[in-house]
Amino acid sequence: MTNMAERFRQVRSQIRHAAGIAGRPANSVRLLAVSKTKSAQAIAALYALGQRHFAENYLQEALEKQRQLCGYNITWHFIGPIQSNKTKAIATHFAWVHSVDRLKIAQRLSEQRPGHLPPLNICLQINISQESSKSGFSLAELPEMVEQVRLLPNLRLRGVMAIPEPETVYHRQRQPYHLLFQAVQALGRPELDSFSFGMSGDLKAAIMEGATMVRIGTALFGERSYN
Ligand SMILES: *Cc1c(COP(=O)(O)O)cnc(C)c1O
């Protein structure tokens, strides 16, 4: 078995295992393959094993790979920082955007979503560890942002995304996700059904706290090099 096939098998088995412990069906957690810095060939190899959802951070890099992989039935997710001059391309070339961190960005994505496409699925990025270096809304801003963003016609507000401070201790990994999950539940809006929680290092903690999408790069593709 190739490395990639073996890693893919392991990640899916970790997801099934964590979902089982959490008392959730395995299919309630979607695996997103984070392919930033990885080639179109690497994406095609994972696709051949059955993976369909891929996530990218950098627009130009993503567009180039999408061009190379046109004809593949891939659902593309954008998870990187968003500059306002990039919103039109993002609104056009992705099915999901997880990293909406300002109201203005949401407004532009809605205005620029092409009319022939279904509404763009979005998650609000929440700066759950309140790190000054990270973007995202605070928990305190969440209720008001949900009210504003749900009115935008060409978006479908699905939930929240968080990238907590790196933490290796399992019970501490769970805390920020727990807090955010509770805050969303408290809003009482069943359409907020998506929790984009968890990366290679904290996938189990994220699933225990309600993740419906885990964003996995390293554990699937191996380490990234940025040359
Ligand atoms: C790179 C990245 C990931 C994947 O991280 P790994 O640790 O490689 O699994 C997930 N989410 C975001 C927002 C990322 O930028």
Side-chain angles (χ1 to χ4, degrees):
M1 209 185 257
T2 68
N3 275 344
M4 188 178 278
E6 176 57 18
R7 285 192 296 250
F8 187 47
R9 194 191 62 72
Q10 273 177 11
V11 168
R12 287 189 307 165
S13 133
Q14 279 177 300
I15 291 173
R16 264 196 310 276
H17 180 73
I21 295 174
R24 303 175 49 194
N27 67 7
S28 66
V29 185
R30 172 184 288 158
L31 170 59
L32 305 190
V34 177
S35 42
K36 61 174 176 238
T37 80
K38 301 297 172 181
S39 66
Q41 287 80 353
I43 295 174
L46 202 52
Y47 183 96
L49 298 168
Q51 179 66 22
R52 292 295 178 268
H53 287 259
F54 289 85
E56 290 278 345
N57 292 60
Y58 310 108
L59 179 65
Q60 289 315 316
E61 180 193 330
L63 294 181
E64 174 57 25
K65 288 184 242 179
Q66 289 180 353
R67 200 184 56 71
Q68 293 178 54
L69 296 165
C70 73
Y72 284 66
N73 181 26
I74 290 178
T75 301
W76 293 98
H77 297 246
F78 193 82
I79 62 172
I82 304 176
Q83 297 161 270
S84 8
N85 64 345
K86 303 285 170 62
T87 49
K88 182 162 190 207
I90 293 172
T92 304
H93 296 283
F94 291 83
W96 282 80
V97 178
H98 296 227
S99 43
V100 174
D101 62 352
R102 280 162 290 156
L103 181 57
K104 181 181 159 206
I105 295 295
Q107 288 164 338
R108 290 176 64 94
L109 289 171
S110 179
E111 280 160 22
Q112 296 171 331
R113 179 68 167 172
H116 66 278
L117 294 177
L120 180 62
N121 294 294
I122 67 155
C123 292
L124 299 178
Q125 181 172 350
I126 308 298
N127 187 358
I128 190 69
S129 306
Q130 299 181 336
E131 293 171 274
S132 54
S133 63
K134 285 223 181 91
S135 47
F137 299 106
S138 68
L139 266 190
E141 290 172 307
L142 176 65
E144 174 64 17
M145 281 310 120
V146 167
E147 287 314 305
Q148 302 272 335
V149 171
R150 53 188 287 277
L151 301 176
L152 298 172
N154 302 318
L155 302 185
R156 186 166 167 212
L157 177 59
R158 298 297 300 272
V160 291
M161 186 270 259
I163 313 170
E165 242 176 327
E167 173 59 65
T168 51
V169 179
Y170 171 69
H171 77 270
R172 291 204 210 114
Q173 289 180 337
R174 290 180 59 163
Q175 284 166 2
Y177 295 132
H178 185 79
L179 207 64
L180 181 50
F181 189 87
Q182 296 300 320
V184 173
Q185 293 308 106
L187 299 174
R189 293 209 170 274
E191 71 272 25
L192 301 180
D193 60 4
S194 301
F195 297 85
S196 175
F197 288 176
M199 321 205 309
S200 297
D202 66 355
L203 171 163
K204 182 177 178 195
I207 291 173
M208 291 302 287
E209 297 300 342
T212 62
M213 293 182 281
V214 289
R215 309 179 310 271
I216 307 298
T218 310
L220 285 172
F221 291 105
E223 296 291 335
R224 286 179 289 275
S225 62
Y226 284 90
N227 326 318

